[in-house]
């Protein structure tokens, strides 16, 4: 189900005396009240958004001159797509938006634009807002990017962990001032690169990162932070000691260490073969220990199975 509403001072079938009003007047009262509160200080062009399982709310801001008092005001065009059980990505694909302006009889409603040629840095910045539950952030330079924002977000959404999908996320995307700087962290940049090239090492790395997060019950950011603990640790020596019972670390912990090493190479766009070779040959693991390690890795991280198979071949 998709529905639209306008907050404006222009006359409509709901009001004609020049007052601020919603048209249509009914539906989504709590959501509308929240949007009015969140719209304070937000300058067009911008989108005030909310994503949750089964519902997407997309409120475009606009400026217009009221015909009664001839004053400029900021209004909203709210679009809500709601379907029980639907993913955010599916609902974004179904989004159809009126033009950002006051209601008028017979105003066209258009499907969202296809995914534009977003740079990795732009997608990374969008990915960070989705991973972090939203917040007020600047969007891409130029009005043309706003038309393709839903498609870009949908493409990112399908890559995010299930734990992210289950949360309610809300924020504001506004036009970024020309020349403004943005910083992209490595986790957000990884998912952006995976979105652009799923078959690349970045794509393999992102899938492995999500699997590590699921297996260890951590967020992707927490898993990525563990990469800093790998420096100075000899993987082959660690595996060798484990293979001969000289450490009490569990096989799950050892498999995590191997997967983290592979992940570190994939994030840096390097060949992960040396880490897999350490487990397969250099650590001199007894055959039963080696088989158990790779079986555990394959079960916990399905994407590592394909990577290890390619390297072995």
């Amino acid at each position: 189900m998709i529905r639209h509403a306008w907050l404006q001072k222009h006359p409509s079938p709901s009001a004609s005396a020049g007052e601020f009003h919603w048209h249509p007047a009914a539906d989504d009262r709590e959501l509308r009240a929240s949007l009015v509160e969140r719209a304070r200080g937000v300058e067009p062009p911008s989108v005030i958004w909310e994503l949750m399982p089964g519902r997407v709310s997309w409120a475009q801001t606009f400026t217009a001159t009221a015909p009664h008092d001839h004053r400029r005001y900021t209004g909203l065009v709210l679009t809500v797509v709601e379907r029980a059980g639907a993913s955010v990505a599916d609902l974004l694909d179904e989004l159809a938006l009126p033009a950002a302006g006051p209601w008028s009889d017979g105003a066209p409603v258009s499907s969202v634009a296809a995914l534009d040629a977003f740079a990795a840095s732009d997608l990374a910045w969008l990915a960070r807002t989705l991973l972090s539950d939203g917040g007020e952030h600047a969007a891409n330079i130029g009005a043309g990017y706003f038309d393709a924002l839903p498609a870009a977000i949908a493409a990112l959404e399908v890559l995010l962990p299930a734990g992210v999908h289950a949360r309610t996320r809300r924020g504001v995307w506004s036009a970024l001032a020309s020349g403004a700087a943005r910083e992209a962290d490595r986790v957000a940049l990884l998912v952006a690169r995976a979105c652009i090239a799923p078959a690349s090492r970045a794509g393999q790395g992102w899938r492995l990162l999500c699997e590590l997060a699921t297996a260890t019950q951590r967020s992707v950011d927490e898993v990525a932070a563990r990469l800093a603990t790998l420096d100075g640790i000899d993987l082959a020596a660690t595996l060798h000691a484990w293979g001969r019972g000289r450490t009490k670390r569990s096989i799950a912990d050892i498999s995590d260490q191997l997967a983290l090493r592979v992940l570190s190479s994939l994030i840096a766009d390097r060949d992960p073969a040396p880490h897999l070779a350490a487990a397969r040959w250099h650590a001199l693991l007894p055959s039963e220990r080696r088989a158990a390690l790779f079986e555990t890795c394959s079960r916990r991280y399905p994407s590592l199975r394909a990577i290890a198979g390619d390297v072995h071949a």
Side-chain angles (χ1 to χ4, degrees), residues 176-227:
L176 183 67
S178 179
R182 288 192 303 236
E183 293 185 3
D185 60 87
R186 63 177 175 177
V187 171
L189 190 56
L190 182 66
V191 65
R193 289 161 53 201
C195 185
I196 293 171
S200 66
R201 284 177 181 160
Q204 293 175 324
W206 176 251
R207 289 188 289 275
L208 180 56
L209 175 57
C210 291
E211 290 164 0
L212 270 160
T214 299
T216 60
Q217 297 183 327
R218 291 180 168 94
S219 71
V220 289
D221 290 311
E222 290 171 334
V223 171
R226 295 181 66 191
L227 295 175

Side-chain angles (χ1 to χ4, degrees), residues 28 46 76 90 109 115 119 125 182 197 211 214 230 266 278 281 302 304:
D28 303 308
S46 56
L76 297 174
D90 287 342
V109 176
L115 179 60
W125 172 84
R182 288 192 303 236
E211 290 164 0
T214 299
L230 301 179
L266 294 173
W281 298 295
L304 192 58

Side-chain angles (χ1 to χ4, degrees), residues 55-147:
R55 193 179 81 175
V56 166
S57 304
W58 195 267
Q60 305 171 81
T61 63
F62 66 88
T63 55
T65 301
H68 284 78
D69 57 19
H70 303 290
R71 292 183 178 180
R72 297 285 288 176
Y73 71 91
T74 298
L76 297 174
V77 184
L78 170 62
T79 300
V80 178
V81 187
E82 194 167 26
R83 181 156 53 86
S87 69
V88 166
D90 287 342
L91 294 175
L92 285 167
D93 287 338
E94 298 171 11
L95 199 62
L97 300 173
W103 173 88
S104 62
D105 191 18
V109 176
S110 303
S111 299
V112 297
L115 179 60
D116 206 346
F118 279 73
S121 58
D122 294 322
L123 285 175
W125 172 84
L126 292 173
R128 174 45 61 195
T129 67
L130 297 173
L131 286 167
S132 303
D133 293 343
E136 295 188 7
H137 298 272
N140 298 282
I141 298 171
Y145 276 107
F146 276 90
D147 295 336

